[in-house]
Every structure is written in structure tokens, then in C-alpha cells.
Amino acid sequence: MDKKHDHRAMFSSERGHDGLVERSRRIKMAAEMGLARSSRGRHWSRALHRRLLRRKGATRGGSCGCKDEALTSSKAVEELGVGENEDDAVEVEARVHALQRLVPGGEELSVERLFEETADYIEALQGQVSAMRALACLLDELERDKRVMGG
């Protein structure tokens, strides 16, 4: 094989990889958009939708319209009524901070509201996982049928 053909094979391979990356990005975007639309009334849903629109370049910053309930670490410990034990307080602060980062828009919420939004977000994620598993099974069956039919 000459260098010209080697180059084409390499280029084709790179394009295939880029195509796969782009397809993966689009699937993730569609899944997240579906998740955001599944629970429109929730704070996390509006925050996720805003983030997705920013990724697409459709909007900048902005708020979801919720009353700003920004939660500081000390406020979290106070709201949860963690006792005098400083180690417990530090651990609670760290866990609340982690939860704020995991739940879209969580940084803007009081502890009580953060827990409510977290529970709803987890339910929505479970629904999304179930839907994706069902889709994966369907696609797997279609692929098997295609192979059996000789395609």
C-alpha cells in the first residue's frame, strides 16, 4: 500500500473518531435536555436547562427566576442544627457543598430546599436511566435481528 492510501485510512479513522465523539456529545445533550424538560417546575430543571442553553450559546448567565436563597457553609450547619462538635460541622459543610455541586442550581438553595430538589432530581435521574436501559435493550435486539437476517 502506498503512502497516499495510508493517509486516507488514517484520515478516515480520525473522522470516524470525531464522528463518534460528536454523536456521543449530541446523545448526552439530548438526554440532559429531556431530563430538564421532564420536571419543568423544579429549580434543578430550570438550572439544567439554562446550563444547556449556555453550552449551545443561546443565552448568557441569567437566573431561573427563583428567589435567591444562596446557602453558605455556615448557614448550612446552622440550618441543620449540627451540634457543637466541630468535626461534625466540617463534615456536614463538605457534604452539603458536594450536594450543591451535584444538583443543578443547588448553590442557590437553602438546605431544606436543596434536599427537596435533590430527592426530585434523583427520581428524574432514575427515570432517565430506566429509559436509557430500555433503549439500549431495544437497539441490542435490533442489532441481533439484523445479524440473524444476514445484514
Side-chain angles (χ1 to χ4, degrees), residues 6-7 22 24 47 85 102 105 134 151:
D6 283 342
H7 177 71
E22 178 61 20
S24 296
N85 186 337
L102 289 171

Side-chain angles (χ1 to χ4, degrees), residues 6-7 13 26 29 33-34 46 50 65 96 111 122 128 130:
D6 283 342
H7 177 71
S13 171
R26 287 180 181 205
M29 176 73 89
M33 194 60 83
R46 290 186 302 273
R50 267 192 335 273
V96 167
V111 172
I122 289 170
Q128 186 182 41
S130 294

Side-chain angles (χ1 to χ4, degrees), residues 128-140:
Q128 186 182 41
V129 167
S130 294
M132 291 180 132
R133 281 185 177 148
L135 185 58
C137 286
L138 175 68
L139 292 174
D140 191 42

